C-alpha cells in the first residue's frame, strides 16, 4: 500500500517538473524577442517586433493572425493582433480574438521601447517577459463570443 503512494507521488513530481520545464522553455522563447530601441523605432519596426513576439508563443499551428497598426497617441503606438482558427469547412471564422499591443517610444534614444498588451475582454495589462502568454486566453474570448452569438439567435 505504501508503494502505491510512492508511485502516485513520483508521478505527481514528474508532472510538476515537466510543467515547470515547459514553462521555462516558453518564457525563454518570449524573452528572446528583441524590441527595438527608441532611436530605431518606427511604425513598421514596431509591427515586426510584435510579430516576432507572437511567433515566440507556443500556439497550436491552427491559429492564424494578422497585425494591424491602429494609431499613434503621443508617444504610444497601438497595434491589434486578430486571431482566429479557420478550418476547411469554415474558412471564415465565426469569431475572432484580439490582443492590443501598446509600444511607447518615450525615453532616451538608447532605451528599448516599452511594451504592454491587453487581451480583448480582459482588464489586466500584461508585459512581455513578466507573464507567459496562455493560449487559453484566446480560446476563452472566442468561446464567450460564440456563446453570446448563440444566445442572441431568434
Amino acid at each position: 500500500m505504501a508503494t502505491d503512494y510512492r508511485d502516485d507521488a513520483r508521478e505527481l513530481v514528474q508532472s510538476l517538473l515537466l510543467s515547470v520545464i515547459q514553462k521555462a522553455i516558453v518564457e525563454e522563447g518570449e524573452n528572446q524577442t528583441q524590441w527595438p530601441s527608441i532611436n530605431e523605432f518606427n511604425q513598421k519596426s514596431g509591427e515586426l517586433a510584435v510579430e516576432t513576439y507572437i511567433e515566440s508563443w507556443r500556439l497550436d499551428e491552427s491559429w492564424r493572425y494578422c497585425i494591424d497598426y491602429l494609431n499613434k497617441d503621443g508617444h504610444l503606438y497601438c497595434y491589434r493582433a486578430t486571431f482566429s482558427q479557420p478550418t476547411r469547412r469554415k474558412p471564415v471564422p465565426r469569431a475572432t480574438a484580439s490582443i492590443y499591443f501598446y509600444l511607447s517610444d518615450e525615453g532616451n534614444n538608447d532605451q528599448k521601447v516599452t511594451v504592454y498588451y491587453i487581451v480583448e475582454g480582459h482588464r489586466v495589462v500584461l508585459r512581455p517577459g513578466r507573464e507567459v502568454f496562455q493560449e487559453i486566453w484566446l480560446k476563452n474570448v472566442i468561446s464567450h463570443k460564440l456563446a453570446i452569438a448563440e444566445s442572441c439567435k431568434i
Side-chain angles (χ1 to χ4, degrees):
M1 189 128 156
T3 57
D4 291 336
Y5 290 123
R6 287 184 188 138
D7 290 341
D8 290 344
R10 186 177 300 115
E11 286 178 27
L12 178 63
V13 168
Q14 287 175 343
S15 68
L16 287 172
L17 285 173
L18 181 61
S19 68
V20 167
I21 290 168
Q22 288 173 337
K23 184 178 178 184
I25 290 169
V26 170
E27 287 174 347
E28 182 64 26
E30 286 186 0
N31 289 333
Q32 295 300 321
T33 301
Q34 295 297 315
W35 298 100
S37 68
I38 291 172
N39 192 35
E40 50 191 32
F41 180 73
N42 58 42
Q43 178 185 332
K44 188 64 178 167
S45 68
E47 185 174 329
L48 290 172
V50 168
E51 182 177 2
T52 302
Y53 180 62
I54 291 171
E55 289 295 322
S56 74
W57 297 344
R58 300 260 185 336
L59 295 176
D60 185 86
E61 63 186 32
S62 64
W63 286 102
R64 299 291 178 259
Y65 68 92
C66 66
I67 300 170
D68 298 306
Y69 170 74
L70 298 180
N71 62 12
K72 179 184 179 193
D73 185 11
H75 290 279
L76 205 58
Y77 291 73
C78 181
Y79 301 85
R80 177 184 57 218
T82 306
F83 291 81
S84 65
Q85 286 184 304
T87 63
R88 281 183 188 224
R89 288 189 163 182
K90 294 187 181 184
V92 178
R94 293 178 33 214
T96 62
S98 294
I99 298 178
Y100 295 89
F101 288 87
Y102 300 92
L103 283 69
S104 173
D105 66 354
E106 192 169 27
N108 297 333
N109 283 344
D110 57 341
Q111 289 179 313
K112 300 289 185 188
V113 293
T114 305
V115 183
Y116 306 93
Y117 65 97
I118 301 172
V119 177
E120 176 183 3
H122 293 203
R123 295 181 184 170
V124 178
V125 177
L126 304 164
R127 297 280 312 269
R130 292 196 181 162
E131 296 86 13
V132 178
F133 183 81
Q134 304 294 318
E135 182 178 358
I136 191 72
W137 298 339
L138 296 174
K139 291 179 179 180
N140 286 345
V141 170
I142 289 175
S143 67
H144 287 120
K145 285 184 176 181
L146 293 174
I148 290 170
E150 191 64 34
S151 70
C152 293
K153 283 187 178 177
I154 298 177

